[in-house]
Amino acid sequence: MYLAKFFHRPPGDDDRELLLILGGDPMIIGIHMREGEYGSDEFLRETYSDATVAISSFRREGARLVDAGYFETSHTKYTLRNLLPDPQAKPDWQKGLDELMMAALGAPLAEQAKHLRALKGTPAEHEPLYLWLAAHHGLAADADAQRTLHIAERARDTLAARRAAEQPHYAWSIYESELEGRILESLSDAYVRAGNPSAGLAAIERACRVAANHKRILQRAVILCVYFPERTEDAFDDAYRRSRYGGYEDIMALPGYADYEARRKADANGQWRWKTAEPAREEEVRKAETELGLQLPDDYRKFLLSRGETELLVRLPEDSAELRFYRPADLATQRSNILSFVSFADAEQLEEAVAHFRAEYGVSLRHLLPVAEPAQASRCLLLHLEPGERYGWCYRWDHDGAWELERPEPNFDAALAALIQGIEQRDKLTLGFLNI
């Protein structure tokens, strides 16, 4: 996690950044805000033994800059190297949220509660970040389960509403996907405590899609083992892959794990299977088509209505992978994401890319729709939706070759068949696409 504060001292352009990096050995970096090679203008770099010590030092360094005539600005993007003219002061309620965030990283619960109370009645209490931190505190303090659940649901719903309305929210320099992952992680915990493990499982599985990390994957595995014995093998999958990171000892001690491990190691060709998932509803598919302004091909529509937001699970003796298929509600966003990535959000470059894809592959870049991605890999399966000769064709795409399309197939069903055949034959290109 990167938490950044920016400081300006008028007049002039002697601007500074204080960057707190958490994870591993916490670090503070102080940077002169000048254009140039990253790292060339550092005025401070310190590594600390733990997060609590680093946060205390982060506060002190900020106070020193204020004492020297600087004020903290409203910027939050930690990669900024130029504050531009007339930087504005950060509002007090945002500073208060920053303090609450740092308190949640290790301060006593009473101190966290003090920060939460101080922000009541300010704009902060309506922010997804505040609501998540309030739910996080409720879980840590073992507060009323239903009240904590209500707060966590509000955090999820507020973030979703802001996103749908394209309204901003304040989350310091925390990526939106990471904030959503943290909200869903707490929401899962709250559902389980409130006696609804099915909703808890759905929330943590969503968190693992949005922003997977070791803690969330382990949380999912524990829920599966405790509440869903019919899916224990999914937890065994995680333990087999991730036991070296710790936390899976109880799962590996369960009856059946030793047999599962022996089968994985003995199966030279490996195996694949579809993850159990809830099919999409017809109205969800129609809404996605409306958002896209396009008709989905019949074979892909049938897939959504029979499998929905599912995963193709690949289990080889030495490795595992998941090909994750998007839910209908995510399709329009995924199309926008790939357009922005290919063009670097530059209108002139977008037109150049459009011309390239038309000339090289005979397809419309604006009509390429990501429908699936391998877990923890910047690749995807693309479906072409422009009416005409290549309507419904599928391609594999990799961010390292952003202007390239690979393995064309005439329809979605053929693309799935080619993937499965590649897995069964241990085709290097297919396994590479799946991040194996």
Side-chain angles (χ1 to χ4, degrees):
M1 182 190 298
Y2 297 86
L3 301 176
K5 287 183 175 289
F6 297 89
F7 297 86
H8 174 72
R9 182 170 62 183
D13 60 355
D14 181 20
D15 299 325
R16 309 286 182 99
E17 175 186 4
L18 281 180
L19 181 61
L20 173 61
I21 303 175
L22 298 172
D25 294 326
M27 178 183 296
I28 295 177
I29 303 176
I31 303 168
H32 290 286
M33 301 290 289
R34 306 190 191 107
E35 298 293 343
E37 183 181 351
Y38 182 79
S40 62
D41 286 332
E42 293 178 3
F43 64 87
L44 173 67
R45 178 179 283 262
E46 293 286 345
T47 301
Y48 299 87
S49 57
D50 61 58
T52 303
V53 175
I55 289 168
S56 295
S57 181
F58 189 62
R59 289 194 179 102
R60 284 196 304 272
E61 294 296 337
R64 286 174 183 166
L65 288 171
V66 172
D67 289 344
Y70 293 83
F71 67 86
E72 186 179 353
T73 76
S74 59
H75 299 85
T76 58
K77 189 176 181 181
Y78 78 90
T79 56
L80 281 177
R81 292 295 172 266
N82 187 332
L83 296 187
L84 304 177
D86 194 28
Q88 301 299 302
K90 179 178 281 190
D92 286 342
W93 68 266
Q94 292 184 2
K95 293 180 183 178
L97 262 180
D98 297 352
E99 287 297 317
L100 174 60
M101 179 69 224
M102 290 189 289
L105 294 169
L109 291 175
E111 183 178 334
Q112 296 178 39
K114 180 180 177 182
H115 285 290
L116 287 165
R117 289 193 300 271
L119 291 170
K120 295 290 283 185
T122 74
E125 70 171 334
H126 305 293
E127 292 295 313
L129 177 61
Y130 176 90
L131 293 167
W132 165 61
L133 290 167
H136 181 271
H137 178 267
L139 291 166
D142 201 19
D144 178 79
Q146 289 297 330
R147 181 176 183 278
T148 300
L149 174 59
H150 175 65
I151 295 170
E153 289 178 326
R154 282 182 59 204
R156 176 201 59 195
D157 296 344
T158 302
L159 182 62
R162 297 278 185 95
R163 180 187 294 148
E166 297 184 352
Q167 294 177 344
H169 64 91
Y170 180 77
W172 201 352
S173 46
I174 303 170
Y175 286 123
E176 183 173 308
S177 60
E178 178 57 23
L179 175 60
E180 185 177 6
R182 288 173 180 267
I183 289 171
L184 290 167
E185 182 183 322
S186 294
L187 182 61
S188 172
D189 216 351
Y191 274 128
V192 171
R193 294 192 190 191
N196 190 346
S198 294
L201 176 60
I204 199 62
E205 288 194 319
R206 186 67 187 161
C208 289
R209 279 179 170 263
V210 169
N213 63 22
H214 176 67
K215 180 181 177 184
R216 290 165 198 159
I217 294 170
L218 177 58
Q219 184 172 333
R220 177 185 64 187
V222 170
I223 291 174
L224 289 173
C225 287
V226 174
Y227 298 101
F228 301 94
E230 71 279 7
R231 289 189 57 190
T232 299
E233 189 163 298
D234 289 343
F236 288 172
D237 287 343
D238 291 330
Y240 185 83
R241 289 176 74 182
R242 303 175 184 278
S243 60
R244 63 185 181 278
Y245 301 118
Y248 287 92
E249 293 79 10
D250 289 344
I251 293 175
M252 296 169 72
L254 289 173
Y257 179 78
D259 289 341
Y260 170 84
E261 184 179 35
R263 279 189 282 112
R264 280 289 296 270
K265 291 178 177 178
D267 190 351
N269 294 321
Q271 56 183 311
W272 61 270
R273 60 185 170 88
W274 289 103
K275 177 182 174 181
T276 302
E278 184 177 345
R281 300 189 303 274
E282 175 66 33
E283 55 267 32
E284 293 175 319
V285 177
R286 286 201 300 266
K287 182 179 179 182
E289 290 176 322
T290 299
E291 292 173 345
L292 292 166
L294 296 162
Q295 181 76 28
L296 297 174
D298 289 343
D299 54 356
Y300 178 56
R301 264 184 137 267
K302 182 178 178 181
F303 176 87
L304 290 174
L305 294 171
S306 61
R307 295 197 182 276
E309 185 186 22
T310 189
E311 297 178 8
L312 179 62
L313 306 175
V314 183
R315 303 297 180 240
L316 305 180
E318 70 281 3
D319 209 343
S320 302
E322 296 86 31
L323 182 62
R324 296 172 172 172
F325 290 80
Y326 302 124
R327 59 182 179 173
D330 292 335
L331 294 176
T333 298
Q334 293 300 329
R335 180 176 64 173
S336 297
N337 289 346
I338 196 168
L339 282 174
S340 295
F341 187 91
V342 170
S343 66
F344 297 103
D346 179 87
E348 184 175 336
Q349 181 143 328
L350 175 59
E351 293 308 315
E352 183 181 348
V354 167
H356 168 82
F357 277 83
R358 178 68 71 190
E360 189 71 21
Y361 303 106
V363 301
S364 166
L365 173 60
R366 291 188 174 91
H367 291 78
L368 286 172
L369 176 69
V371 296
E373 65 177 0
Q376 300 176 331
S378 296
R379 305 183 184 101
C380 62
L381 186 65
L382 296 173
L383 184 60
H384 186 237
L385 298 183
E386 182 185 40
E389 181 183 352
R390 291 192 175 266
Y391 174 75
W393 279 63
C394 273
Y395 304 86
R396 299 179 194 176
W397 177 89
D398 190 316
H399 79 297
D400 286 336
W403 286 30
E404 299 174 10
L405 299 178
E406 299 176 345
R407 299 294 292 270
E409 298 289 348
N411 53 61
F412 178 76
D413 282 347
L416 281 188
L419 280 166
I420 290 169
Q421 183 181 53
I423 294 165
E424 292 174 342
Q425 296 179 354
R426 305 293 290 271
D427 173 64
K428 289 185 178 180
L429 291 178
T430 298
L431 296 184
F433 173 74
L434 294 170
N435 205 29
I436 293 179

